[in-house]
Amino acid sequence: MISEQLQQIKSSLPEKVTLVAVSKTKPVEDLLEAYNTGQRIFGENKVQEMCDKHDLLPKDIEWHFIGHLQTNKVKYIAPFVALIHGVDSLKLLQEINKQGEKIKRVIPVLLQFYIAKEETKFGLSLAEAIEVLESKDAFHYCEIRGIMGMASFTENEDQVKAEFAQLKSHFDLIKSTYFKNDAFFSIVSMGMSGDYKLAIEEGSTMVRIGSSIFGSR
Ligand SMILES: *Cc1c(COP(=O)(O)O)cnc(C)c1O
């Protein structure tokens, strides 16, 4: 079941779009089934759960942290995390850099933007992101690879499209202003089970899909 869902979704994605299989709350058996179908990138949103699964599962898995990350927990994932999607403050970026420096590992991150019209979503405004970006050269142990965002949870497709388009325009602006010659700044992480097709139409390069692969939580 998982393997069929996964294969179906994968075959529907354009080649340049990376799939993060969001496995939060799911048992390691489910992740192994996806792994045995060829999936190597998994997304988790709890530090403890990601560490436990990292310990138990094959070492060639890329672990993406997609949740809200508390500064006091960065140290637990710093040694192995492949990408932190949710950097939403200068303070968090400073802590990631500090933990990276301790272990001499450059940690890849995305800046999370607030694009939805909902109070509950975390993320930076464009002005706040610019403040972070102005000091980015001080951070030698984290590499900003792109940006991430979540659209409003609504049936209104026009609204969702507009929010994704806004995120993509933030990416383009930041790329041309701060990372013009940096090929590593290339990721637009947007799109989940309910809206990834719209996200891809609007320029997503990385989709985070959970329930359509593993079933509802
Ligand atoms: C849970 C989660 C997803 C996946 O959501 P689905 O609707 O199950 O695909 C994607 N991104 C983030 C940040 C999440 O927390």
Side-chain angles (χ1 to χ4, degrees), residues 20-24 43-45 65-68 85 112 148-150 153 189 191-196 207-213 215-217:
V20 179
V22 175
S23 48
K24 62 193 188 195
E44 292 284 337
N45 70 343
F65 192 82
I66 61 166
H68 181 64
H85 286 235
Q112 181 171 358
M148 176 266 204
M150 270 185 277
F153 187 71
S189 169
M192 316 183 7
S193 292
D195 58 19
Y196 73 90
V207 292
R208 311 175 308 270
I209 300 179
S211 46
S212 290
I213 298 170
S216 59
R217 291 177 295 271

Side-chain angles (χ1 to χ4, degrees), residues 53-72:
K53 286 173 173 171
H54 169 258
D55 285 346
L56 290 167
L57 288 166
K59 291 298 169 264
D60 61 343
I61 289 176
E62 278 186 36
W63 294 98
H64 286 208
F65 192 82
I66 61 166
H68 181 64
L69 182 57
Q70 291 171 276
T71 50
N72 62 343

Side-chain angles (χ1 to χ4, degrees), residues 5-168:
Q5 294 294 95
L6 183 59
Q7 267 160 345
Q8 198 185 327
I9 288 170
K10 263 181 153 163
S11 64
S12 78
L13 298 178
E15 213 175 329
K16 60 169 182 28
V17 174
T18 302
L19 172 63
V20 179
V22 175
S23 48
K24 62 193 188 195
T25 78
K26 298 297 176 182
V28 290
E29 292 74 20
D30 288 7
L31 281 74
L32 261 184
E33 187 173 342
Y35 180 89
N36 289 330
T37 312
Q39 183 64 24
R40 291 295 179 271
I41 304 177
F42 292 88
E44 292 284 337
N45 70 343
K46 297 269 187 318
V47 166
Q48 183 67 53
E49 185 176 343
M50 189 164 97
C51 291
D52 291 346
K53 286 173 173 171
H54 169 258
D55 285 346
L56 290 167
L57 288 166
K59 291 298 169 264
D60 61 343
I61 289 176
E62 278 186 36
W63 294 98
H64 286 208
F65 192 82
I66 61 166
H68 181 64
L69 182 57
Q70 291 171 276
T71 50
N72 62 343
K73 294 193 175 163
V74 173
K75 57 178 177 285
Y76 301 114
I77 63 171
F80 69 90
V81 68
L83 185 63
I84 297 174
H85 286 235
V87 173
D88 58 0
S89 71
L90 187 56
K91 192 172 137 232
L92 179 57
L93 195 68
Q94 282 165 338
E95 177 64 17
I96 294 167
N97 185 68
K98 184 176 144 192
Q99 295 301 329
E101 183 163 20
K102 266 192 197 164
I103 57 174
K104 299 285 177 260
R105 175 170 191 257
V106 177
I107 300 170
V109 305
L110 303 178
L111 298 182
Q112 181 171 358
F113 278 87
Y114 176 84
I115 49 168
K117 292 184 176 54
E118 291 163 16
E119 288 302 317
T120 53
K121 301 260 160 80
F122 292 101
L124 302 158
S125 66
L126 184 57
E128 289 165 338
I130 285 169
E131 202 186 319
V132 171
L133 289 161
E134 287 294 332
S135 55
K136 76 177 172 58
D137 292 340
F139 303 127
H140 300 291
Y141 288 92
C142 40
E143 186 166 85
I144 301 171
R145 297 265 176 96
I147 71 177
M148 176 266 204
M150 270 185 277
S152 297
F153 187 71
T154 170
E155 300 280 295
N156 184 342
E157 289 199 357
D158 290 337
Q159 185 184 336
V160 172
K161 272 175 91 87
E163 290 172 2
F164 286 145
Q166 190 189 8
L167 191 64
K168 176 60 163 63

